[in-house]
Amino acid sequence: MSDDFRSRVEEVLEREIRPGIRMDGGEIDLVEAKDGIVQVRLSGACGGCPMSTLTLVHFVEERLRAAIPEIEEVQSV
């Protein structure tokens, strides 16, 4: 399940999340995805932005969970 889970997360990141992050001058990288936990790293303009926590919760996590319901948590590392 882990490889399939990771590939599904990467697909959603690429299709639905990265375009929006990149429009604001940022980037998001998948660090780990297993056992319902997704770890990502925000960089570029998003890495030091004071709004990055809101971006993570209200944009990244919401979209990932909508597409992949078994996600329990999205963490920034």
Side-chain angles (χ1 to χ4, degrees), residues 24-76:
D24 289 333
E27 185 58 78
I28 185 166
D29 297 308
L30 179 60
V31 176
E32 186 66 71
K34 66 180 185 180
D35 301 325
I37 306 297
V38 176
Q39 295 179 333
V40 297
R41 181 173 296 117
L42 293 170
S43 59
C46 294
C49 176
M51 301 299 285
S52 64
T53 300
L54 291 176
T55 298
L56 184 70
V57 173
H58 294 290
F59 180 64
V60 176
E61 187 169 0
E62 283 182 4
R63 288 186 183 240
L64 282 170
R65 282 185 165 181
I68 307 169
E70 63 266 32
I71 290 177
E72 297 172 19
E73 184 178 4
V74 177
Q75 304 170 343
S76 178

